[in-house]
């Protein structure tokens, strides 16, 4: 259930802000000079955030990441720090 809701949330946000991504998502809009805060909570879908972070960076966005303790059980802050190029803030 968590994967489905996270996917739906991403799609709603992308449509609301007219955001599209390159790469495997098959989208092409340039996100240069856009600032994106990627917030992660505990859930199995948290591991998908690495791919999302990578694609956002590839599109030119400035990505910052915040994670709850629960999210850290699914994916390491170090992974997202390497992908975003920014310090990951944790709770």
């Amino acid at each position: 259930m968590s994967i489905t809701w996270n996917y739906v949330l991403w799609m709603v946000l992308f449509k609301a802000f007219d955001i599209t991504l390159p790469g495997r998502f098959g989208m092409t809009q340039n996100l240069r000079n856009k600032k994106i805060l990627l917030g992660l909570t505990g859930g199995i879908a948290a591991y998908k955030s690495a791919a999302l972070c990578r694609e956002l960076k590839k599109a030119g966005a400035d990505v910052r990441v915040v994670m709850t303790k629960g999210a850290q059980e699914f994916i390491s802050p170090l992974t997202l720090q390497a992908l975003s190029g920014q310090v990951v803030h944790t709770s």
Side-chain angles (χ1 to χ4, degrees), residues 15-50:
K15 289 290 184 189
F17 294 101
D18 194 29
I19 296 172
T20 53
L21 299 173
R24 72 180 198 177
F25 295 101
M27 304 173 196
T28 58
Q29 183 177 350
N30 185 344
L31 296 177
R32 194 159 308 195
N33 298 323
K34 300 286 185 181
K35 296 180 181 182
I36 297 176
L37 178 63
L38 185 58
L40 306 175
T41 60
I44 191 65
Y47 80 96
K48 289 276 195 179
S49 62

Side-chain angles (χ1 to χ4, degrees), residues 53 57 63 65 67 76-89:
C53 182
K57 286 295 287 183
V63 180
V65 181
M67 300 176 74
S76 164
L78 187 58
T79 300
L80 292 165
Q81 181 175 328
L83 292 169
S84 70
Q86 303 289 337
V87 174
V88 173
H89 298 278

Side-chain angles (χ1 to χ4, degrees), residues 2 6 39-47 66-75 91:
S2 178
N6 282 334
L40 306 175
T41 60
I44 191 65
Y47 80 96
V66 293
M67 300 176 74
T68 64
K69 187 175 180 180
Q72 294 174 59
E73 294 181 24
F74 293 95
I75 187 166
S91 62

Side-chain angles (χ1 to χ4, degrees), residues 5-19:
W5 281 111
N6 282 334
Y7 176 78
V8 168
L9 177 60
W10 287 350
M11 293 301 106
V12 167
L13 289 173
F14 290 163
K15 289 290 184 189
F17 294 101
D18 194 29
I19 296 172

